[in-house]
Amino acid sequence: AAAGAVAAGRPLITFRAPNEVAVPIEHVREILPFGSAPSMFGEGSALRRVQVLRGRSLPVLCLARLSGSLPGTVDASAAILVVEHGEHLLGYAVPMLGSIERAHWERTLPGQGAPSGDAHALWGERRVAGIGSGPSPRSVPVLDLLAMTERLASRQGWNGPST
């Protein structure tokens, strides 16, 4: 097997933020509808809002803004990908949910992380996967939401249980 390759067939959730990106399905605890609530913290903020999910606080961050992009068009499929970190939950808002597709292949790209900059440092290891079939196979970046959540949690000092 090629260096940086992982077994094919892992299910990935695809979405646009604003370009197509995928995350391993096992990184996502659940998917919630984004709804129409405006940002509580201003349109330019990565932190969109804080909501309650079954009695637990759920900060919701704009995944596109975390990557240094603008979210683009938000449609009816906009969703929140919920990730669990210890006792904490973190939601990542995506403007357009795609589908669940199996990777035909995955590779780690040379170098570490995305292009320079604080926002891009959150992305961590650069991976790409081949998805789709027939006349429209495509390569998409694969984001490690667990690693991103770990980096965000360490910045926030989430070392103990939530209250």
Side-chain angles (χ1 to χ4, degrees):
V6 297
R10 177 162 75 156
L12 302 171
I13 299 170
T14 65
F15 55 89
R16 296 210 171 263
N19 298 317
E20 189 173 35
V21 178
V23 297
I25 197 168
E26 68 267 16
H27 292 190
V28 178
R29 181 174 186 249
E30 65 185 286
I31 299 173
L32 304 172
F34 183 73
S36 61
S39 173
M40 298 169 67
F41 302 96
E43 286 305 311
S45 174
L47 181 60
R48 308 310 291 156
R49 63 181 178 242
V50 178
Q51 61 189 64
V52 176
L53 178 62
R54 288 185 280 292
R56 295 170 68 185
S57 294
L58 176 66
V60 178
L61 301 168
C62 175
L63 194 52
R65 290 188 190 281
L66 284 176
S67 69
S69 300
L70 294 176
T73 304
V74 176
D75 78 359
S77 71
I80 300 168
L81 306 177
V82 179
V83 175
E84 197 162 25
H85 179 270
E87 295 295 317
H88 298 275
L89 298 176
L90 191 57
Y92 295 97
V94 297
M96 184 184 298
L97 195 60
S99 60
I100 297 173
E101 301 186 50
R102 290 204 176 274
H104 300 296
W105 52 264
E106 276 188 68
R107 302 279 188 285
T108 300
L109 299 176
Q112 183 65 20
S116 63
D118 187 52
H120 293 292
L122 291 171
W123 283 68
E125 183 178 70
R126 293 180 0 177
R127 296 193 61 75
V128 65
I131 59 174
S133 60
S136 60
R138 57 209 189 277
S139 298
V140 296
V142 177
L143 177 59
D144 185 338
L145 275 186
L146 294 180
M148 177 182 270
T149 302
E150 178 66 36
R151 285 186 286 281
L152 287 167
S154 69
R155 289 181 181 187
Q156 295 302 313
W158 287 354
N159 297 325
S162 64
T163 54

